[in-house]
Amino acid sequence: MNGLIDIPQVATQILGFLLLLWGLRKWAWGPVLGMLEARRQKIAGAFEDADRRKSEALELKARYEQDLRGIEAQARQRIQQAVTEGQKVAAEIKAQAHVEAQQRVARAGDEIERERLDDQAQRKLASEFIDEVGAAR
């Protein structure tokens, strides 16, 4: 059996194989594994950055939506104030017009009364004149 297996040759091959594995591990697998680890870290960093940016975007979106709701509330409030102010001005104008109309009606009544008094005064004067002319005759 010794003749079929050459022990020094097998030992040399095993030693050569072990040296090859050691060399591959030191010069090939180490750098390859290092590159793979660097790549893994880079991808993990990219995912962390993407998650951070996503959370920032969500926060920014929430803030903008809140600001928009605030702006809409302010706009509704300003519209309501404008409507209230318009109603107030309309009521003031209506009240002023009512007062002016009452004043005009009162002045017209006074003017009518004066004209009546003037007519009566004129009739009285005419009557007195006629009486005086009749007495003088």
Side-chain angles (χ1 to χ4, degrees):
M1 214 153 150
N2 237 355
L4 293 173
I5 299 178
D6 189 12
I7 298 225
Q9 186 179 6
V10 171
T12 305
Q13 287 179 351
I14 290 174
L15 183 63
F17 182 71
L18 290 176
L19 284 174
L20 178 67
L21 284 178
W22 176 79
L24 285 175
R25 182 171 182 226
K26 184 172 183 175
W27 288 295
W29 285 7
V32 168
L33 291 176
M35 285 189 318
L36 289 175
E37 180 61 23
R39 175 84 173 143
R40 188 195 63 78
Q41 289 177 355
K42 182 179 176 184
I43 291 171
F47 277 118
E48 288 173 5
D49 187 48
D51 287 340
R52 181 184 54 80
R53 288 180 184 217
K54 181 181 178 182
S55 65
E56 288 175 358
L58 290 174
E59 289 174 11
L60 188 61
K61 178 185 175 188
R63 190 170 65 232
Y64 284 155
E65 287 174 350
Q66 183 179 5
D67 290 347
L68 184 59
R69 284 190 298 269
I71 290 169
E72 288 172 351
Q74 287 177 352
R76 282 192 300 273
Q77 182 182 10
R78 286 182 182 167
I79 290 170
Q80 185 61 39
Q81 287 175 344
V83 167
T84 303
E85 184 67 25
Q87 290 172 343
K88 180 181 173 185
V89 169
E92 289 174 358
I93 291 171
K94 185 178 178 181
Q96 181 66 30
H98 184 68
V99 168
E100 288 177 6
Q102 286 179 340
Q103 289 174 348
R104 286 182 182 176
V105 167
R107 277 191 302 237
D110 289 344
E111 191 174 319
I112 290 170
E113 189 62 32
R114 265 184 271 135
E115 286 180 10
R116 283 186 187 159
L117 291 174
D118 288 343
D119 188 41
Q120 290 175 357
Q122 287 175 3
R123 287 179 190 256
K124 183 178 177 185
L125 286 175
S127 171
E128 289 175 2
F129 179 71
I130 291 173
D131 289 341
E132 285 179 15
V133 170
R137 270 198 191 173

